[in-house]
């Protein structure tokens, strides 16, 4: 059974940094693309970032480019999202998601809440 | 960016009756590899999204056959042949043909 467990969310002030983690199990992590998607009540679902199976290719939404960095450690079956220069508008529930191919999403984690507020 | 437009926003349905959700994209979702990358997700209250349909019309494992997807190019439809109580939730389409990935705004299915 595919399991994706996010952690690392929290409450912080604008300009702060946070690293989200996603531990994967139930599938061969190293051969699948992975993504981060966030959800807010007002803006619905917003794709944030994706990485290829090896981590050699990464992709970002314009809204986070230059501030967020996606990475993965295939030896630890873990996906990361380093979030810097956080803004109030980054407040959301962040989901880790698996894809069968790049630009695909088939399984989602339960999400971790990030709140940016002064 | 490809804009995904869903309608209706809200869909009250009688149990056992059919339901249909439309999703239109601002650009063709046919990729250069020949595939059309359009997914449908269901998000039940308090849960994470769950994929129902991939590449327009392929049902994911475990998805009841009352769910079906159709369409081509820029115009797509999710149909529920007979709505059951467990189908209540918000349904999203998502395109995976172009970066950035984009989602529709969602359609809330509720029981009348």
């Amino acid at each position: 059974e595919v399991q994706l467990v996010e952690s690392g969310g929290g409450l912080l002030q604008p300009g702060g940094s946070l690293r989200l983690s996603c531990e994967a199990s139930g599938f061969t992590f190293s051969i699948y693309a992975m993504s981060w998607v966030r959800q807010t009540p007002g803006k619905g679902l917003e794709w944030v970032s994706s990485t290829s199976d090896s981590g050699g290719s990464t992709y970002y939404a314009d809204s986070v480019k230059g501030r967020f960095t996606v990475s993965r450690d295939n030896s630890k079956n873990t996906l990361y999202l380093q979030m810097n220069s956080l803004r109030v508008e980054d407040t959301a529930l962040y989901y880790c998601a698996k894809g069968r191919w790049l630009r695909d999403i088939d399984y989602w984690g339960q999400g971790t809440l990030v709140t940016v507020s002064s | 960016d490809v804009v995904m437009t869903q309608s209706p926003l809200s869909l009250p349905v009688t149990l056992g009756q059919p339901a249909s959700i439309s999703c239109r994209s601002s650009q063709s979702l046919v990729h250069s590899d020949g595939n059309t990358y359009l997914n449908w997700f269901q998000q039940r209250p308090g849960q994470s999204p769950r994929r129902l349909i991939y590449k327009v019309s392929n049902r994911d494992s475990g998805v009841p056959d009352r769910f079906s997807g159709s369409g081509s190019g820029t115009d797509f439809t999710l149909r529920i042949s007979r709505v059951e109580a467990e189908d209540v939730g918000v349904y999203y389409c998502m395109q995976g043909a172009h970066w950035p990935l984009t989602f529709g705004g969602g359609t809330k299915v509720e029981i009348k």
Side-chain angles (χ1 to χ4, degrees):
Chain A
E1 179 196 359
V2 172
Q3 287 204 320
L4 301 168
V5 179
E6 302 94 336
S7 60
L11 169 63
L12 64 165
Q13 293 187 332
S17 296
L18 206 58
R19 189 175 84 154
L20 305 183
S21 299
C22 170
E23 290 191 33
S25 60
F27 64 100
T28 306
F29 181 73
S30 62
I31 64 172
Y32 291 101
M34 297 293 295
S35 297
W36 290 97
V37 179
R38 63 189 182 186
Q39 185 170 32
T40 60
K43 292 186 72 176
L45 291 168
E46 181 188 15
W47 170 78
V48 172
S49 179
S50 295
T51 176
S52 61
D53 52 1
S54 67
S57 296
T58 56
Y59 306 83
Y60 299 94
D62 284 346
S63 58
V64 306
K65 202 172 292 183
R67 301 187 298 123
F68 290 12
T69 303
V70 63
S71 62
R72 61 192 297 164
D73 186 336
N74 285 346
S75 68
K76 295 182 178 178
N77 289 352
T78 303
L79 177 73
Y80 303 100
L81 186 67
Q82 178 66 44
M83 310 164 68
N84 298 332
S85 303
L86 280 159
R87 305 168 180 167
V88 170
E89 55 265 34
D90 294 320
T91 294
L93 183 64
Y94 283 74
Y95 291 105
C96 165
K98 168 190 168 291
R100 285 169 64 179
W101 50 82
L102 201 53
R103 299 189 321 276
D104 178 53
I105 291 174
D106 60 352
Y107 287 96
W108 303 63
Q110 289 303 303
T112 186
L113 184 61
V114 174
T115 304
V116 184
S117 173
S118 54
Chain B
D1 297 1
V2 178
V3 177
M4 305 297 288
T5 304
Q6 284 184 237
S7 62
L9 223 59
S10 176
L11 185 56
V13 187
T14 301
L15 286 173
Q17 292 301 301
S20 181
I21 299 170
S22 169
C23 175
R24 289 192 166 92
S25 58
S26 61
Q27 298 175 35
S28 172
L29 301 186
V30 181
H31 191 265
S32 55
D33 65 9
N35 289 304
T36 302
Y37 291 99
L38 186 281
N39 291 350
W40 287 98
F41 296 92
Q42 174 196 61
Q43 187 172 31
R44 290 172 172 152
Q47 295 187 11
S48 303
R50 165 202 182 195
R51 196 175 71 176
L52 301 174
I53 302 284
Y54 63 95
K55 288 195 251 183
V56 181
S57 59
N58 297 276
R59 242 186 335 268
D60 274 284
S61 175
V63 174
D65 60 8
R66 64 179 181 275
F67 290 94
S68 64
S70 63
S72 62
T74 61
D75 201 349
F76 305 93
T77 302
L78 176 70
R79 289 186 176 86
I80 310 173
S81 60
R82 295 171 305 279
V83 171
E84 297 189 6
E86 65 178 19
D87 300 336
V88 164
V90 181
Y91 291 77
Y92 297 94
C93 58
M94 183 206 91
Q95 69 81 20
H98 310 278
W99 296 111
L101 308 185
T102 48
F103 293 86
T107 295
K108 186 174 186 178
V109 171
E110 56 188 15
I111 304 301
K112 277 185 189 174

